[in-house]
Amino acid sequence: MTTATVFNAIVGQQHAIRLLKTFIRNGTLPHALLFTGNDGVGKKITATAFAMACNCLTLQSAIRRRPHLDAIDACGDCGPCRKIAGNHHPDIIHVAPLSSVIRIAQIRKLLQALTLKPNEANRRVVILADAQTLNPEAGNALLKVLEEPPDRTLLVLTARQTSDLMPTIVSRCQHIRFSPLREADIKQLLTAAGGIKPETVEAVAALCGGSFTRAQKLIDSRWLNRRDWIIQAMGSQMADTGISGIRAWLAWSEMLAKKKDLIEDSLEIITLWLRDILVFRTDPQRVLNQDRLEALSAAAKHVSQTQLLEQIDAVDRALTALRSNTNARLTLDAMALRMAGA
Ligand SMILES: [Zn+2]
């Protein structure tokens, strides 16, 4: 039996799943759904579970026998369920960005496929991921099918937030919000994945902002090593207020600039750390880097609240500047000098 993609196996998102089950139970399936929420909260897996529940033979016959059936979920074991879980059902169509964009050619190909009747599905389901990456031409082409969807066809779009989409797309879809996962949910998912130290599970669950995708990234030892290096370096720099301290801050920014693919992650780590130093003084329970309380306690002795706020602002400005493609080395040097109070 394939359980990974049925509703009951999805962690969190009870609100979204309750709504989807109601549509199936009442036979009131909308033509187009829009799932919004941060990356890594379960939008795509829920879309697959929904496609499965719409096509599960066992569930369909159960609903025929008992129209107000409570337990709405796919069996995970019938022909359609297995094909959908194995990603080889001919009527479950996936559209996703290629090099960060969904192009008109992809939408034309989809529209062409939708002119034919579904091969075998009770409901053909199109899962269009990251709809915020539709370019305007592709978005406009998609409107036609959202207005007049073909028979037995249902579209599920996913996106971060409605404001990233054309209002004409949003207004044609039934909108369902996905919330960030709770810390307990992330812990459950990480523990189920196995092979992760309990203290890492704790730290990552606190730091990932409710996104399982991000949690998986944080488990990568490169990230944790980077964090530990940053914490250690900042600790000694903050303690040294003389000219040697300024030199240390600049040597540090040079090191940060060298690992280009890690710069954004590094700045995020720094912001979280500075935030934790602030929070540690008043409410240690709310610290995110719970596994580094000793280092936090030491760091908190060396900086004032005003300095911390100034440093957080320096990192924030650097991040904004880097995103608009300024010179990384110069930006990070300027950030380090401000952080040093120079
Ligand atoms: Zn089934």
Side-chain angles (χ1 to χ4, degrees):
M1 174 162 160
T2 316
T3 54
T5 40
V6 298
F7 285 140
N8 283 346
I10 295 173
V11 173
Q13 309 310 345
Q14 282 82 0
H15 163 73
I17 290 172
R18 204 179 312 121
L19 278 172
L20 295 171
K21 286 182 174 180
T22 306
F23 294 144
I24 296 172
R25 182 183 296 117
N26 300 344
T28 51
L29 292 169
H31 296 301
L33 287 155
L34 169 63
F35 294 176
T36 60
N38 290 343
D39 290 343
V41 298
K43 301 189 296 292
K44 269 173 250 171
I45 196 168
T46 304
T48 304
F50 181 59
M52 214 188 250
C54 290
N55 285 288
C56 173
L57 300 178
T58 317
L59 179 59
Q60 278 164 36
S61 78
I63 291 175
R64 271 196 298 273
R65 284 196 309 274
R66 288 187 54 196
H68 300 292
L69 185 71
D70 269 339
I72 299 287
D73 207 349
C75 74
D77 203 29
C78 66
C81 278
R82 284 177 178 270
K83 283 186 185 174
I84 295 171
N87 207 11
H88 50 79
H89 193 297
D91 298 315
I92 309 302
I93 305 172
H94 294 269
V95 181
L98 298 171
S99 319
S100 317
V101 183
I102 298 177
R103 296 174 199 284
I104 181 76
Q106 290 171 270
I107 300 301
R108 283 201 187 116
K109 194 174 156 207
L110 170 69
L111 298 180
Q112 181 61 36
L114 295 184
T115 58
L116 306 170
K117 285 208 176 329
N119 291 288
E120 55 191 73
N122 175 42
R123 292 275 170 177
R124 173 165 55 192
V125 181
V126 178
I127 302 174
L128 190 143
D130 299 315
Q132 73 275 5
T133 65
L134 281 159
N135 71 18
E137 214 185 353
N140 279 319
L142 186 70
L143 283 180
K144 281 185 205 136
V145 75
L146 290 174
E147 268 162 14
E148 294 172 56
D151 195 29
R152 287 194 288 141
T153 300
L154 203 154
L155 283 96
V156 182
L157 276 58
T158 74
R160 291 207 190 113
Q161 50 198 6
T162 53
S163 58
D164 294 341
L165 300 171
M166 285 158 53
T168 41
I169 288 185
V170 179
S171 66
R172 283 164 177 78
C173 298
Q174 169 89 38
H175 179 204
I176 300 183
R177 273 192 195 83
F178 282 60
S179 42
L181 294 172
R182 295 174 312 143
E183 227 175 284
D185 294 336
I186 299 276
K187 281 187 206 166
Q188 186 189 332
L189 286 165
L190 291 173
T191 309
I196 310 162
K197 286 189 222 152
E199 60 268 33
T200 309
V201 169
E202 289 287 327
V204 164
L207 289 165
C208 72
S211 159
F212 185 56
T213 311
R214 188 161 153 68
Q216 286 173 310
K217 183 174 145 195
L218 300 191
I219 288 167
D220 181 347
S221 59
R222 278 202 323 166
W223 194 92
L224 281 176
N225 291 342
R226 188 92 183 148
R227 180 197 65 160
D228 292 345
W229 170 72
I230 286 172
I231 289 175
Q232 196 263 331
M234 283 176 67
S236 49
Q237 285 150 211
M238 281 179 172
D240 185 350
T241 51
I243 194 81
S244 58
I246 293 177
R247 270 196 218 107
W249 279 102
L250 285 172
W252 176 73
S253 71
E254 188 182 345
M255 298 274 283
L256 286 176
K258 270 186 189 153
K259 289 264 165 94
K260 284 205 172 11
D261 55 329
L262 288 178
I263 292 179
E264 276 209 34
D265 279 352
S266 300
L267 296 196
E268 216 172 277
I269 292 168
I270 298 166
T271 306
L272 285 176
W273 186 246
L274 295 170
R275 173 229 176 248
D276 270 1
I277 302 176
L278 266 177
V279 170
F280 178 80
R281 293 187 169 142
T282 49
D283 195 355
Q285 299 272 29
R286 286 184 47 232
V287 157
L288 294 172
N289 292 280
Q290 278 292 339
D291 57 332
R292 304 305 307 268
L293 290 178
E294 228 171 274
L296 268 175
S297 157
K301 292 191 184 102
H302 298 298
V303 270
S304 68
Q305 182 160 327
T306 319
Q307 275 172 303
L308 283 169
L309 293 173
E310 170 79 8
Q311 291 181 335
I312 290 172
D313 185 60
V315 182
D316 195 40
R317 277 167 196 259
L319 202 51
T320 311
L322 289 167
R323 283 178 181 151
S324 51
N325 282 325
T326 51
N327 179 300
R329 180 71 204 280
L330 289 177
T331 307
L332 293 174
D333 279 353
M335 176 191 88
L337 285 172
R338 262 189 81 194
M339 293 180 79

